């Protein structure tokens, strides 16, 4: 077991304590224990398994150490399971609503007797929330609007979350031998940033009622509807549709159920113009069903270049000038920028980041902690930044085959200026300019604010340009076309933030960016080791946007990146 998993479980407990309005100091104790665990340079589970005594961990007393031992042995601990089963579901749901938070959720539940999302909505409509101490009409309206997001997130989930369920499905299919071939199709296969369900396309070997047999394995949490050709099941609360096909129909079925609707509509039009017909049952020339043994063949028959699943959104995949054969892959990424260290709100020390990047065969990294205005995220005071610069120089002096670029993620202040003076920013290799506060500006104000930051000669990268958090918060109002144009004019690189909640810039803007001559940089915005894994979601999004390695800055080698960053302000 990794330390990160232990930390996650401790944090989960803290969250539950908070939701249940427990003592603030207890909540803080578990959160800080989790942070200490994340920052350790040894593996707790290994030490415990070896029977050795655990070295003293900051903030971990006898009690929490007991929990940790239990976690290592059983994956959880008693108190966590207890509080989980005693927590009313509505508190968990309300806690996810922006503008509510743990304290207010508890108050709403206790004082208004709200037990479901519907009741909360109704209480808002009846103006009962606004009357509650500590609330008001403004916060009531905000909550009412945010309920919509929660409803949405209950219907859809992040690709990263659906992937966990998909992994379970893969292991299940590995454990049975009567399914010859299967694939998860749908928006999951298209790597859409959020998915509503998983669609499985299956071929069985010599089995008459394979879906029935699968249903009886007891693997799925629920079988909602059964049938010979299709069953609707659920796993982890995610709907899963399983459809069974003859072997010869596998690829046309896979293609059909991969979608999207918009892609198929375009494809049907093209097929018709060439005297073919394509639908759920296959591809036809007149009445004759054509045999296909790959998806590539379907496109070939229609005289088209092959369109990978990620591109099938009916947006720009039919354009002739795009190079879909060389879409960027994770292996193309040579190094990563936008990493937070324990100087601000990251969990990893500089040296750990370097070691980790080297173990992943990255050639360089770009460190960018929060700037001083982001005090809530431990933003760096000038002295701290200078200290970090010195440490990075020392690391670079020691390493010949790995380079650390010195940077900062500077807040874009409400008036569009950056944190720190020019003298300070000049000491750095790069500045990421990002918005972290004052989201509620009009579109023209916000666009002006960002454009001013982009025109600052110190700005090299524009961080998460819309500020959206998928399924929980819309981006701020901003004219992205103007921002893209200004970035390209000023040689500012736009970040594609790879965090699965962000994926910001949205891939739908990427062709516009390319047309303007711009490039992106794929940044995990990592705050811990786990964050580095997010690069793959950025790669998916980049592929959906039709990007090749030439469009992605961090496919360059160290000298290439250094060349781009060399003009300091
Ligand atoms: Zn940020
Ligand atoms: Zn960041």
């Amino acid at each position: 077991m990794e330390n990160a998993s232990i930390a996650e479980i401790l944090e989960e407990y803290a969250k539950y304590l908070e939701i249940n309005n427990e003592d603030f100091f207890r909540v803080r104790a578990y959160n800080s224990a989790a942070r200490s665990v994340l920052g350790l340079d040894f593996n707790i589970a290994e030490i415990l398994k070896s029977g050795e005594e655990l070295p003293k961990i900051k903030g971990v007393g006898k009690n929490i150490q007991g929990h940790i031992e239990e976690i290592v042995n059983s994956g959880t601990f008693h108190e966590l399971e207890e509080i989980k089963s005693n927590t009313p579901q509505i508190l968990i749901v309300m806690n996810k609503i922006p503008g509510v938070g743990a304290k207010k959720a508890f108050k709403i539940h206790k004082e208004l007797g709200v037990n479901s999302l519907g009741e909360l909505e109704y209480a808002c409509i009846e103006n009962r929330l606004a009357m509650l101490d500590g609330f008001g009409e403004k916060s009531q309206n905000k909550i009412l609007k945010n309920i919509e997001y929660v409803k949405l997130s209950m219907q859809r989930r992040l690709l990263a979350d659906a992937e966990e369920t998909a992994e379970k499905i893969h292991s299940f299919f590995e454990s049975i031998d009567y399914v010859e071939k299967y694939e998860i199709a749908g928006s999951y296969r298209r790597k859409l940033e959020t998915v509503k369900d998983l669609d499985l396309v299956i071929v069985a070997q010599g089995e008459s009622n394979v879906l029935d047999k699968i249903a009886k394995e007891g693997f799925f949490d629920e079988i909602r509807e059964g049938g010979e050709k299709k069953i609707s099941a659920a796993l982890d609360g995610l709907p899963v549709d399983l459809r069974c096909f003859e072997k010869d129909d596998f690829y046309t079925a896979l293609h059909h159920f991969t979608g999207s609707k918009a892609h198929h509509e375009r494809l049907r039009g093209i097929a018709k113009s060439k005297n073919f017909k394509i639908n759920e049952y296959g591809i036809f020339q007149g009445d004759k069903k054509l045999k296909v043994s790959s998806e590539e063949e379907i496109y070939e028959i229609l005289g088209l270049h092959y369109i990978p699943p990620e591109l099938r959104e009916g947006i720009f995949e039919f354009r002739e000038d795009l190079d879909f054969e060389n879409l960027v892959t994770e292996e193309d990424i040579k190094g990563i920028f936008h990493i937070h260290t324990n100087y601000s709100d990251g969990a990893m020390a500089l040296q750990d980041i370097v070691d980790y990047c080297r173990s992943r065969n990255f050639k360089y990294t770009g460190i960018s902690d929060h700037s001083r205005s982001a005090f809530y995220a431990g933003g760096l005071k000038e002295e701290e930044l200078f200290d970090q610069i010195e440490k990075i120089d020392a690391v670079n002096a020691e390493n010949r085959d790995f380079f650390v670029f010195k940077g900062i993620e500077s807040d874009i202040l409400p008036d569009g200026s950056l944190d720190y003076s020019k003298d300070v920013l000049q000491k750095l290799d790069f500045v990421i300019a990002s918005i972290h506060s004052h989201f509620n500006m009009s579109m023209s104000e916000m666009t002006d604010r960002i454009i001013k930051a982009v025109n600052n000669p110190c700005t090299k990268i524009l961080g998460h340009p819309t500020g959206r958090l998928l399924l929980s918060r819309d981006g701020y109002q901003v004219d992205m076309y103007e921002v893209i144009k200004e970035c390209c004019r000023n040689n500012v690189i736009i970040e594609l933030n790879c965090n699965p909640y962000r994926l910001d810039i949205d891939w739908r803007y990427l062709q516009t960016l390319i047309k303007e001559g711009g490039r992106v940089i794929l940044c995990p915005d990592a705050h811990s080791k786990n964050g580095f894994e997010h690069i793959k979601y950025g790669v998916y999004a980049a592929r959906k946007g039709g990007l090749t390695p030439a469009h992605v800055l961090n496919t360059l080698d160290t000298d290439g990146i250094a060349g781009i960053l060399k003009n300091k302000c």
Side-chain angles (χ1 to χ4, degrees), residues 281-299:
Y281 306 101
I283 178 161
F284 301 83
Q285 194 166 27
D287 286 338
K288 196 179 137 221
K289 186 167 164 178
L290 304 176
K291 215 176 156 176
V292 294
S293 52
S294 69
E295 280 190 320
E296 281 83 349
E297 264 183 53
I298 297 172
Y299 291 94

Side-chain angles (χ1 to χ4, degrees), residues 338 370 409 434 436 464 502 525:
H338 200 165
H370 285 291
E409 180 178 19
S434 304
H436 293 120
H464 41 75
R502 291 190 183 270
D525 197 354

Side-chain angles (χ1 to χ4, degrees), residues 329-470:
T329 66
E330 224 181 314
E331 287 73 52
D332 295 321
I333 305 298
K334 300 265 173 32
I336 43 176
F337 275 57
H338 200 165
I339 308 296
H340 293 269
T341 74
N342 55 6
Y343 270 77
S344 69
D345 59 349
M348 293 172 88
L350 179 62
Q351 190 58 48
D352 297 337
I353 293 167
V354 171
D355 293 344
Y356 184 73
C357 285
R358 294 179 69 132
S359 77
R360 294 277 307 259
N361 283 326
F362 290 133
K363 301 287 174 231
Y364 51 84
T365 188
I367 298 293
S368 57
D369 273 308
H370 285 291
S371 64
R372 64 182 172 198
S373 292
F375 54 88
Y376 48 85
L380 268 55
K381 298 195 189 90
E382 277 182 20
E383 314 83 81
E384 292 171 312
L385 183 60
F386 296 150
D387 182 56
Q388 187 180 59
I389 288 173
E390 239 172 67
K391 290 225 165 63
I392 293 177
D393 285 339
V395 169
N396 283 337
E398 262 173 42
N399 291 287
R400 284 174 171 274
D401 57 347
F402 189 86
F403 193 78
V404 184
F405 291 96
K406 298 175 286 231
I408 192 84
E409 180 178 19
S410 171
D411 269 32
I412 301 176
L413 304 177
D415 69 354
S417 56
L418 300 181
D419 253 341
Y420 311 114
S421 65
K422 198 171 164 184
D423 296 352
V424 174
L425 294 177
Q426 273 173 335
K427 297 184 195 301
L428 300 166
D429 296 316
F430 70 100
V431 173
I432 302 178
S434 304
I435 285 182
H436 293 120
S437 63
H438 299 87
F439 296 141
N440 295 322
M441 288 183 162
S442 70
M443 184 184 280
S444 68
E445 280 172 334
M446 188 58 98
T447 307
D448 288 349
R449 176 183 177 188
I450 295 177
I451 284 178
K452 188 172 165 204
V454 165
N455 276 279
N456 186 319
C458 294
T459 302
K460 288 286 174 202
I461 298 170
L462 176 64
H464 41 75
T466 76
R468 73 172 180 184
L469 291 180
L470 289 164

Side-chain angles (χ1 to χ4, degrees), residues 10-26:
L10 293 175
E11 266 173 11
E12 192 185 1
Y13 187 58
K15 193 87 237 166
Y16 273 101
L17 288 174
E18 203 185 352
I19 288 172
N20 282 285
N21 207 25
E22 294 281 345
D23 182 39
F24 166 76
F25 293 101
R26 276 189 78 201

Side-chain angles (χ1 to χ4, degrees), residues 109-360:
H109 170 62
K110 280 282 171 243
E111 294 186 22
L112 296 180
V114 163
N115 282 308
S116 70
L117 203 57
E119 282 178 1
L120 178 64
E121 201 171 4
Y122 200 63
C124 289
I125 292 165
E126 282 196 328
N127 216 24
R128 278 186 284 135
L129 219 67
M131 312 301 280
L132 207 59
D133 205 22
F135 293 78
E137 204 170 328
K138 224 172 139 189
S139 65
Q140 176 175 276
N141 288 341
K142 196 173 161 197
I143 289 168
L144 192 56
K145 190 171 164 256
N146 287 335
I147 289 172
E148 289 305 314
Y149 287 112
V150 176
K151 282 201 210 153
L152 192 70
S153 72
M154 287 161 102
Q155 288 159 7
R156 300 191 73 86
R157 63 183 68 185
L158 292 184
L159 178 64
D161 293 337
E163 260 188 356
E164 282 177 28
T165 306
E167 284 306 319
K168 289 186 195 171
I169 290 174
H170 289 312
S171 335
F172 165 69
F173 275 92
E174 254 162 49
S175 73
I176 56 173
D177 56 6
Y178 49 88
V179 164
E180 190 177 335
K181 220 189 255 185
Y182 79 96
E183 201 156 334
I184 304 176
S187 49
Y188 174 78
R189 184 162 181 246
R190 300 200 314 278
K191 305 294 181 209
L192 200 63
E193 55 273 28
T194 62
V195 306
K196 185 167 104 267
D197 51 16
L198 295 176
D199 290 293
L200 266 76
V201 174
I202 294 170
V203 172
Q205 205 169 14
E207 287 283 338
S208 57
N209 205 347
V210 66
L211 292 180
D212 191 43
K213 202 166 169 182
I214 289 176
K216 286 188 177 133
E217 296 276 356
F219 163 72
F220 288 100
D221 296 337
E222 198 186 331
I223 303 289
R224 290 172 176 165
E225 250 173 87
E228 205 177 314
K229 294 277 171 230
K230 181 189 167 191
I231 54 172
S232 299
L235 186 63
D236 302 339
L238 189 65
V240 184
D241 284 340
L242 297 91
R243 290 180 177 85
C244 195
F245 295 90
E246 296 295 325
K247 197 172 174 181
D248 285 350
D249 291 335
F250 180 75
Y251 289 102
T252 46
L254 175 64
H255 180 260
H256 179 80
F257 287 101
T258 296
S260 66
K261 243 190 190 149
H263 178 76
H264 284 328
E265 255 164 44
R266 294 281 305 274
L267 207 58
R268 275 201 294 274
I270 292 169
K272 203 171 164 196
S273 73
K274 297 184 174 178
N275 288 324
F276 290 99
K277 195 171 78 189
I278 183 163
N279 60 31
E280 184 176 350
Y281 306 101
I283 178 161
F284 301 83
Q285 194 166 27
D287 286 338
K288 196 179 137 221
K289 186 167 164 178
L290 304 176
K291 215 176 156 176
V292 294
S293 52
S294 69
E295 280 190 320
E296 281 83 349
E297 264 183 53
I298 297 172
Y299 291 94
E300 212 178 297
I301 289 169
L302 298 174
L304 299 168
H305 56 76
Y306 173 66
I307 301 174
E310 297 96 311
L311 272 300
R312 299 179 200 163
E313 298 293 348
I315 301 180
F316 43 71
E317 68 269 35
F318 292 101
R319 266 172 48 187
E320 286 290 332
D321 58 324
L322 300 184
D323 179 6
F324 294 155
E325 274 171 34
N326 295 306
L327 295 179
V328 65
T329 66
E330 224 181 314
E331 287 73 52
D332 295 321
I333 305 298
K334 300 265 173 32
I336 43 176
F337 275 57
H338 200 165
I339 308 296
H340 293 269
T341 74
N342 55 6
Y343 270 77
S344 69
D345 59 349
M348 293 172 88
L350 179 62
Q351 190 58 48
D352 297 337
I353 293 167
V354 171
D355 293 344
Y356 184 73
C357 285
R358 294 179 69 132
S359 77
R360 294 277 307 259

